Amino acid sequence: QCPESTRLHKLTTTAPPPPVALHPPATTSILSKGRMFRSGVLRVAAARCQRAVAPTSQRARSRGCGEAITGFSGSARVTEVARRGITTVSAGFWGQGTRTVTAVDCHAGGEPARVIIAGAPHVAGDTMLEKRGSMILHHDEFRQLLLQEPRGYPCQNANVVFPSTAPGCDYGYVILEQNTIYPLMSGHNTICVATALLETGMVRMVEPVTEFVIEAPAGPIAITAECKNGKVTSVKLLNVPAFVGHLDVEIDVPEIGSVTLDIAYGGMWYAIVDAASVGLDLVPSNGKQICRTGEMIKVAAREQMPVQHPEIDYPGPDILCFRAPPPPGSTADGMNAVIMSNVALDWDRPETWTAMIDRSPCGTGTCAVMATLHARGELPLHTPFVHESIIGSQFIGELTAETSVAGIPAVIPTLSGQAWITQHCQIVVDPTDPFPVGYTVGDIWG
């Protein structure tokens, strides 16, 4: 059970069903297949079977449940300042010199993503999945530095770019989000990474279309980028398989009551809820209530309906998607508001019943929603699905094939969107800075 809260809500319902796929199979299945290499055609490549997956004993569990990081890498001295609730680190935790990190800041669909192209610490691991585990266990201070104040803010995300050893991959990246969450895959982050690599010249741009492969922790992701006049005008990614954990399950949420939802995987584990069923109208002015309700439902779902990826140690649900019909005049097939954690919810502290809204239509959330629609017979293969965010931005998803993941029916989705570079910056950590990893304050962080 995830330790999101210091005291789990005392349930009056019957015991929850066991998590989905608690025991990963000994052999890899079709999930280990299916990414694109440099053929120029969207096709399933058997090379995914060669993806290195660390044994279970070596894999780090996702810290997406708000687990506290109590130490930092190297010889850093950690001091808990209890009266202020701020974690500080001795001035020399990266050595005695000034540390400079080179970033390309982007947004896709309005959601920011900071792409780190130089200055990251050395991270052990041959695959991006292994590097993700190393960052969780040994380098979380780097995530805090990039995302927390004074260098970040609650809705910031980051991606650390590394050389990749996966066959056919140009680069790899590890995704960093708030509340110690390290997703296996993220659509908007991937669109931003691809755009940054192309528009900085790290990957050679070929107009009108550039095709290449980058390695996410979930595995190789094929990119087809439309380019014009040195600018990336569209990124289409071939995602890992998406599949359903539960359809139409009921949970009991404190102060809300019974809620019916789906749970599906599209790169992260999503609790998917009809917004109207809990009295929500997905408009920006309702943001605080949307966040409060969504985070409470997500945490209750994780407590009562836990799920586990059948091949990678990744529990959930760790994120929530509210669904609604498209607004009047929209060209979309549906709209959403995806709720992302920025603090650990504590049922005893209502001030922690908060979160933030993904400004984009959410790439992996779109893939998870498409998987549930396909499972219900409502979305055929090769049918574009336009998803709109709470601010009106759009991503386009499409299901290209059916497959299976450890015997679970699954689909292979694509996702298309556009990113824009917002700034090129140098992030500086002076050895005398009293806040080398930043801090959070409850006025905007919950």
Side-chain angles (χ1 to χ4, degrees):
Q1 187 68 33
C2 290
E4 170 107 18
S5 59
T6 56
R7 180 187 64 83
L8 296 180
H9 178 63
K10 302 298 184 182
L11 302 175
T12 58
T13 58
T14 57
V20 172
L22 277 174
H23 305 290
T27 58
T28 49
S29 72
I30 296 177
L31 182 64
S32 300
K33 303 177 183 178
R35 285 306 61 119
M36 283 282 317
F37 294 106
R38 238 180 250 289
S39 64
V41 180
L42 286 176
R43 62 180 176 84
V44 175
R48 180 179 285 279
C49 292
Q50 302 171 3
R51 175 168 60 89
V53 178
T56 301
S57 61
Q58 298 177 5
R59 292 187 224 134
R61 178 173 295 275
S62 166
R63 303 294 283 275
C65 305
E67 301 174 57
I69 297 295
T70 57
F72 299 98
S73 62
S75 59
R77 177 178 60 85
V78 179
T79 303
E80 295 292 340
V81 186
R83 71 185 180 87
R84 293 185 180 178
I86 297 173
T87 300
T88 63
V89 179
S90 58
F93 89 109
W94 261 343
Q96 298 304 312
T98 297
R99 186 66 178 242
T100 302
V101 179
T102 302
V104 181
D105 282 7
C106 308
H107 82 84
E111 180 71 4
R114 178 164 277 173
V115 182
I116 305 305
I117 60 175
H122 173 74
V123 178
D126 293 329
T127 67
M128 294 306 116
L129 181 62
E130 292 172 357
K131 287 184 181 296
R132 170 185 173 270
S134 294
M135 292 200 73
I136 292 171
L137 293 176
H138 304 297
H139 299 285
D140 190 67
E141 78 284 345
F142 192 64
R143 180 193 62 82
Q144 296 175 63
L145 159 73
L146 298 172
L147 303 187
Q148 295 184 160
E149 295 182 73
R151 302 167 187 89
Y153 77 112
C155 287
Q156 185 63 277
N157 307 267
N159 304 269
V160 185
V161 175
F162 297 101
S164 175
T165 59
C169 289
D170 291 75
Y171 290 95
Y173 60 111
V174 174
I175 307 158
L176 320 177
E177 295 187 356
Q178 302 288 359
N179 201 28
T180 328
I181 294 174
Y182 289 75
L184 294 178
M185 175 56 189
S186 167
H188 106 273
N189 277 295
T190 301
I191 292 169
C192 289
V193 169
T195 299
L197 291 175
L198 284 166
E199 294 193 12
T200 60
M202 294 177 66
V203 170
R204 181 173 176 266
M205 182 183 293
V206 178
E207 298 183 5
V209 175
T210 305
E211 294 176 336
F212 62 105
V213 183
I214 50 180
E215 182 191 1
I221 304 295
I223 302 295
T224 301
E226 297 180 9
C227 307
K228 184 177 180 180
N229 298 326
K231 167 67 184 171
V232 179
T233 59
S234 175
V235 172
K236 185 175 187 177
L237 64 90
L238 184 63
N239 197 11
V240 296
F243 55 92
V244 172
H246 298 291
L247 290 178
D248 296 320
V249 293
E250 288 190 13
I251 61 170
D252 178 63
V253 183
E255 299 198 1
I256 295 175
S258 178
V259 176
T260 300
L261 52 81
D262 302 331
I263 299 176
Y265 176 84
M268 299 178 72
W269 278 110
Y270 286 82
I272 303 171
V273 181
D274 177 73
S277 71
V278 289
L280 292 177
D281 185 14
L282 300 186
V283 295
S285 59
N286 291 343
K288 288 186 182 296
Q289 186 59 43
I290 293 169
C291 287
R292 178 184 174 92
T293 302
E295 190 70 1
M296 293 170 71
I297 294 172
K298 183 202 73 179
V299 173
R302 188 163 59 223
E303 293 172 358
Q304 299 169 44
M305 290 287 174
V307 287
Q308 172 64 274
H309 194 285
E311 294 184 334
I312 304 172
D313 190 8
Y314 193 86
D318 53 343
I319 195 165
L320 179 139
C321 177
F322 282 123
R323 294 203 62 216
S330 171
T331 59
D333 298 297
M335 74 170 297
N336 71 68
V338 167
I339 309 306
M340 307 167 67
S341 301
N342 61 9
V343 295
L345 183 145
D346 183 342
W347 291 118
D348 288 331
R349 297 175 57 218
E351 67 271 19
T352 68
W353 303 355
T354 185
M356 57 195 175
I357 299 175
D358 190 335
R359 274 62 173 150
S360 81
C362 190
T364 53
T366 297
C367 294
V369 166
M370 290 194 297
T372 65
L373 293 174
H374 186 75
R376 289 191 170 95
E378 298 174 5
L379 183 64
L381 298 179
H382 310 296
T383 304
F385 176 77
V386 182
H387 224 185
E388 184 165 308
S389 75
I390 196 169
I391 64 170
S393 55
Q394 295 184 350
F395 288 162
I396 303 174
E398 186 173 332
L399 303 178
T400 63
E402 294 178 336
T403 185
S404 64
V405 177
I408 301 171
V411 287
I412 298 177
T414 64
L415 184 86
S416 299
Q418 186 176 4
W420 287 263
I421 293 177
T422 57
Q423 66 177 343
H424 297 266
C425 62
Q426 301 287 326
I427 300 165
V428 176
V429 185
D430 187 282
T432 64
D433 190 328
F435 305 113
V437 299
Y439 54 83
T440 64
V441 178
D443 56 345
I444 62 174
W445 293 86

